[in-house]
Amino acid sequence: MRIKTLTLAALFTLSGAALASAQQCPALGSTGAVVEVDGSQLNRGIRTEVIAGTQIDAWDCQRFYMVGYVNVAPTLTMRLSNAGSRGVEVIAESDCDPTLLIETPNGQIAFDDDNYDIGRGLDPAIPLPAMGDGTYNIWVGSYRNSYCLTTLRIRYR
């Protein structure tokens, strides 16, 4: 299985995943596909389609206390400007039981697998307090070891 995982990792060298063989956990501070977002866009919310990744078993990353499979590099790096003082909500929707890991601008880590209050049951949703402008690294993973198409929604709470 490791050989197959490393072969799949080679497909993601543009996102920094070439280091997958040397790292066992999400690479905090690294950059995924960059999206520049003005705070006014979050009034309506933004939606984007992403592929939930499966390079590493997050359960092995005990410092994150999370389950599922994620890539080493973030799926998406959101650079938020003109954010104001409102909290942000991040939701991943898919039929494959996605997971979410977020590194906030101040270095805090948030994880969710299933959220029955905000998400659709098996979909994760993370409500973040107001943090203002900055870089949010977002990993979209899968509870099972498989890639899948996932809709990522980001909006003000």
Side-chain angles (χ1 to χ4, degrees), residues 59-72:
W59 185 256
D60 294 336
C61 303
Q62 294 175 357
R63 66 183 172 160
F64 295 115
Y65 302 105
M66 56 189 272
V67 296
Y69 294 82
V70 295
N71 287 329
V72 173

Side-chain angles (χ1 to χ4, degrees), residues 32-98:
V34 177
V35 176
E36 302 286 340
V37 176
D38 183 88
S40 63
Q41 293 174 274
L42 296 183
N43 287 321
R44 293 182 317 272
I46 59 172
R47 295 173 61 117
T48 186
E49 299 293 318
V50 298
I51 302 294
T54 66
Q55 288 179 330
I56 54 177
D57 184 348
W59 185 256
D60 294 336
C61 303
Q62 294 175 357
R63 66 183 172 160
F64 295 115
Y65 302 105
M66 56 189 272
V67 296
Y69 294 82
V70 295
N71 287 329
V72 173
T75 306
L76 184 79
T77 295
M78 177 178 71
R79 293 189 180 139
L80 182 60
S81 60
N82 303 313
S85 60
R86 294 174 65 188
V88 174
E89 185 173 84
V90 182
I91 301 170
E93 298 175 336
S94 180
D95 292 334
C96 74
D97 194 5

Side-chain angles (χ1 to χ4, degrees), residues 112-150:
D112 191 42
D113 175 24
D114 301 330
N115 190 309
Y116 293 91
D117 295 328
I118 301 171
R120 304 178 310 166
L122 294 180
D123 293 334
I126 298 177
L128 297 169
M131 296 195 190
D133 296 353
T135 300
Y136 295 77
N137 287 314
I138 303 169
W139 285 261
V140 181
S142 174
Y143 185 78
R144 293 173 187 80
N145 190 4
S146 62
Y147 288 99
C148 64
L149 185 63
T150 303

